[in-house]
Amino acid sequence: MLTFDFDAETLWLSRNPDNARRPGVLSQGIYGAKTGVPKILELMREESLKGTFFVPGWTAEKYRDRMDAIAAAGHEIGHHGYLHEWIDPDFPDKEREALEKGLEALKTTVGVKPRGYRSPAGETSQNMIGLLHEYGFEYDSSLMDQVSPYRHILEDGTRGPVELPWHWSMDDAPFALFAIQSPRPIHTNDHILNVWKQEFTEIYRWGGLVNVVTHPQIIGRPSRLAMLREFIAFMRRFPDVWFATGAEVASAWAAKENG
Ligand SMILES: [Zn+2]
């Protein structure tokens, strides 16, 4: 799965509303919308691949043109909160509110009812998994407890959504998300690519799901797009690798579960 978390400015606003008056900080997110998304769409078209874009409702409302382009190219659009809110289990009402606002935004902008959800920053709750079931989501992609999909069983025993696990090591942000307020080294592309190749190789050997989590504002940098292209070429050298969207993986897994 090649996935793109299209956070744009919400990445910078959700945890620190004061950034609203810092155009320099916000411009990092704007880059993802202005340049990252079109370049990703170009790459995916050239590679004849379909991916999943997880989009906060706020981003969808601000960048309708980009949403139209993503939808027109046939990529999947998933739910990613409204303003990229980090879930706080002490406030379950806020979870429902963000879920509903995000659903409304995806409906009014691109007319999409998302089949999948990824929690902002991987922060989720048992309540949220239940909400996903209540609102008809087929899958969640927020947890890190396996390398293969599995079915959530809710507290009352009901079958919940399919989980499509991910991990920080297959995410571009821990390696290359830079914030001047808390600076840390940006890893080289060689380093990132090495980790990704090694994870891929072993998950391939085990059999499982390689869930590549990227962000247009990070992977959309010129050299990182080249890195992604190289990673795709690397994965293509292995027989029987299926490149698929989250929805495709979830329904394929569910079909096997029932059969
Ligand atoms: Zn995000």
Side-chain angles (χ1 to χ4, degrees):
M1 275 170 64
L2 298 173
T3 72
F4 306 93
D5 294 0
F6 182 14
D7 300 331
E9 296 102 302
T10 68
L11 182 72
W12 304 96
L13 290 169
S14 61
R15 303 289 291 170
N16 188 358
D18 195 43
N19 278 337
R21 56 190 183 86
R22 293 203 172 90
V25 168
L26 295 183
S27 68
Q28 298 167 98
I30 295 169
Y31 176 89
K34 269 190 183 171
T35 308
V37 167
K39 285 290 183 186
I40 289 165
L41 292 177
E42 185 183 303
L43 185 153
M44 296 294 276
R45 188 174 60 245
E46 286 167 9
E47 296 287 341
S48 303
L49 291 174
K50 297 282 184 272
T52 302
F53 287 75
F54 292 99
V55 191
W58 186 97
T59 303
E61 286 169 354
K62 180 164 181 197
Y63 298 105
R64 283 178 174 241
D65 53 342
R66 295 301 185 250
M67 297 303 287
D68 288 342
I70 292 166
H75 300 290
E76 181 192 4
I77 292 171
H79 196 300
H80 195 45
Y82 182 73
L83 191 68
H84 208 259
E85 304 86 351
W86 288 28
I87 285 175
D88 180 340
D90 288 340
F91 298 96
D93 289 352
K94 289 196 169 162
E95 296 177 22
R96 187 183 289 276
E97 189 189 324
L99 194 68
E100 286 187 351
K101 278 180 82 176
L103 282 170
E104 186 61 25
L106 296 182
K107 188 168 96 184
T108 53
T109 55
V110 273
V112 163
K113 182 185 188 299
R115 294 168 65 181
Y117 170 85
R118 173 173 288 154
S119 61
E123 293 288 333
T124 191
S125 69
Q126 208 50 53
N127 178 59
M128 179 52 91
I129 305 291
L131 287 176
L132 295 179
H133 176 67
E134 184 184 327
Y135 286 78
F137 283 84
E138 290 167 48
Y139 74 91
D140 177 54
S141 182
S142 308
L143 297 175
M144 302 181 230
D145 50 350
Q146 290 199 35
V147 293
S148 289
Y150 64 90
R151 170 79 61 190
H152 282 285
I153 303 298
L154 306 181
E155 277 161 358
D156 64 359
T158 319
R159 287 151 48 90
V162 172
E163 180 65 35
L164 304 180
W166 69 295
H167 190 264
W168 292 114
S169 56
M170 295 303 293
D171 182 326
D172 57 2
F175 301 104
L177 175 63
F178 183 84
I180 193 65
Q181 296 96 328
S182 50
R184 60 181 187 198
I186 295 175
H187 287 273
T188 64
N189 294 337
D190 284 347
H191 175 78
I192 304 170
L193 190 55
N194 258 329
V195 174
W196 287 5
K197 282 178 173 177
Q198 289 169 13
E199 273 288 297
F200 175 86
T201 303
E202 287 308 299
I203 294 174
Y204 181 88
R205 200 167 65 81
W206 289 20
L209 170 65
V210 176
N211 191 347
V212 186
V213 178
T214 66
H215 302 76
Q217 58 189 291
I218 302 172
I219 201 73
R221 295 305 307 177
S223 67
R224 294 204 194 102
L225 285 167
M227 173 186 80
L228 179 60
R229 201 183 290 275
E230 192 180 332
F231 185 46
I232 291 168
F234 174 82
M235 293 189 281
R236 284 196 155 133
R237 292 205 283 272
F238 292 73
D240 301 323
V241 172
W242 183 39
F243 289 85
T245 64
E248 287 172 332
V249 173
S251 50
W253 187 88
K256 200 170 152 225
E257 173 191 33
N258 296 328

